[in-house]
């Protein structure tokens, strides 16, 4: 006998998936914030050492040594000094705009490196992994949960940057790029939420396979791969 259906409608399932993401973020937001702050501080330090020419190039994403985590927790405890080295410059500041452009590019690169150059390719691979393990519920749940955590971490970075662009009264192409990045990650997260609903609320992958064959899944829509 299969598990009883917890939510009857697609809207209820979407709400449940969104609550899962929110609960995950609330449980882990301190760790996420510490990692983001450590990565950003390391990137800025690297660009300062490399000079103004190299600063405009794509920076790497080196992991933060574990020994520094305690220091970063203390650093993050004061929200007013979350990014002490970064101050919002006037909108006409060339250096500031280059820095913002670089951060947008860094997020884009991180998304591509951890997913795929095209979102549809990433979700096709994810779909294959889920259906390949159709008889292992815990493994399927782990696969889709890890995908949601990854996308949420990228989304948090993008939303933070977009808010900073708005706060700094940035307009035109730079703000447009930030908003497009945020929207792309929002669409990817919703597509992952849909897959999460299939895994959690269906006893097997039959319905998931059926909708995929008809091209009805969210990640199969034309707007996803823009």
């Amino acid at each position: 006998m299969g598990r009883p259906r917890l939510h009857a409608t697609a809207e209820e399932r979407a709400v449940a998936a969104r609550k899962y993401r929110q609960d995950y973020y609330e449980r882990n937001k301190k760790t996420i914030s510490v990692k983001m702050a450590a990565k950003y501080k390391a990137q800025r330090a690297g660009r300062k050492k490399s000079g103004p020419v190299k600063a405009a190039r794509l920076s790497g994403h080196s992991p933060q040594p574990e020994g520094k985590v305690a220091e970063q927790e203390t650093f993050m405890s004061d929200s007013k000094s979350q990014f002490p080295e970064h101050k919002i410059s006037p909108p006409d500041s060339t250096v500031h705009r280059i820095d913002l452009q670089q951060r947008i590019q860094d997020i884009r690169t991180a998304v591509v490196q951890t997913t795929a150059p095209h979102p549809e390719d990433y979700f096709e691979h994810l779909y294959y992994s889920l259906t390949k393990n159709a008889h292992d519920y815990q493994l399927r749940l782990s696969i889709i949960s890890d995908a949601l955590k990854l996308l949420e971490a990228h989304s948090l970075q993008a939303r933070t940057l977009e808010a900073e662009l708005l706060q700094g009264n940035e307009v035109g192409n730079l703000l447009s790029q930030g908003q497009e990045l945020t929207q792309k990650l929002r669409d990817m997260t919703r597509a992952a939420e849909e897959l999460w609903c299939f895994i959690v609320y269906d006893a097997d992958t039959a319905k998931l396979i059926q909708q995929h064959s008809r091209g009805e899944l969210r990640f199969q829509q034309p707007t996803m791969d823009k």
Side-chain angles (χ1 to χ4, degrees):
M1 182 177 179
R3 296 184 298 278
R5 187 182 294 275
L6 297 178
H7 303 284
T9 67
E11 182 179 357
E12 290 176 345
R13 291 193 293 270
V15 170
R18 190 169 295 108
K19 185 177 186 302
Y20 168 85
R21 288 175 49 231
Q22 292 172 346
D23 290 344
Y24 169 80
Y25 174 68
E26 287 300 322
R27 292 194 306 270
N28 299 276
K29 61 183 179 181
K30 185 174 181 179
T31 301
I32 293 172
S33 296
V34 168
K35 289 181 179 179
M36 286 176 59
K39 184 181 292 184
Y40 177 65
K41 187 176 181 180
Q43 289 170 356
R44 285 186 59 85
R47 287 198 292 270
K48 285 182 178 179
K49 291 179 180 179
S50 62
V53 176
K54 292 185 179 180
R57 298 177 183 172
L58 180 64
S59 62
H61 295 269
S62 302
Q64 182 76 355
E66 294 182 3
K68 296 293 184 180
V69 173
E71 296 178 13
Q72 292 296 340
E73 289 179 349
T74 302
F75 166 72
M76 289 294 296
S77 64
D78 185 358
S79 60
K80 292 183 179 180
S81 60
Q82 184 175 2
F83 297 104
E85 294 185 10
H86 180 71
K87 297 180 181 179
I88 297 178
S89 304
D92 60 348
S93 169
T94 302
V95 175
H96 181 58
R97 291 181 63 85
I98 291 175
D99 179 63
L100 292 173
Q101 181 67 66
Q102 182 64 49
R103 290 168 62 193
I104 291 173
Q105 185 59 43
D106 286 348
I107 297 174
R108 285 174 176 165
T109 303
V111 172
V112 169
Q113 289 177 342
T114 55
T115 58
H118 301 288
E120 187 175 356
D121 293 338
Y122 170 68
F123 282 103
E124 284 291 351
H125 176 74
L126 192 58
Y127 166 80
Y128 173 77
S129 298
L130 294 172
T131 53
K132 179 182 178 182
N133 298 283
H135 301 295
D136 191 333
Y137 173 77
Q138 290 299 329
L139 179 56
R140 284 184 291 140
L141 184 60
S142 176
I143 290 171
I144 192 60
S145 296
D146 287 346
L148 277 168
K149 293 173 187 177
L150 174 67
L151 292 171
E152 178 59 29
H154 289 320
S155 295
L156 179 59
Q157 287 185 306
R159 292 195 302 268
T160 300
L161 180 55
E162 182 183 354
E164 188 173 324
L165 289 168
L166 291 170
Q167 183 182 358
N169 296 319
E170 290 291 343
V171 295
N173 187 51
L174 201 60
L175 178 59
S176 177
Q177 290 182 55
Q179 291 174 332
E180 287 176 4
L181 179 59
T182 301
Q183 184 60 51
K184 176 182 178 179
L185 286 164
R186 185 180 295 117
D187 290 340
M188 292 179 70
T189 300
R190 288 172 178 169
E193 286 178 344
E194 181 184 48
L195 295 178
W196 185 87
C197 291
F198 278 106
I199 300 307
V200 172
Y201 300 115
D202 289 323
D204 53 43
T205 58
K207 188 176 293 184
L208 174 61
I209 294 172
Q210 184 181 50
Q211 289 202 222
H212 180 270
S213 66
R214 296 199 298 255
E216 296 176 349
L217 295 175
R218 184 183 289 270
F219 77 81
Q220 294 175 296
Q221 303 311 307
T223 55
M224 172 58 69
D225 217 21
K226 287 186 177 182

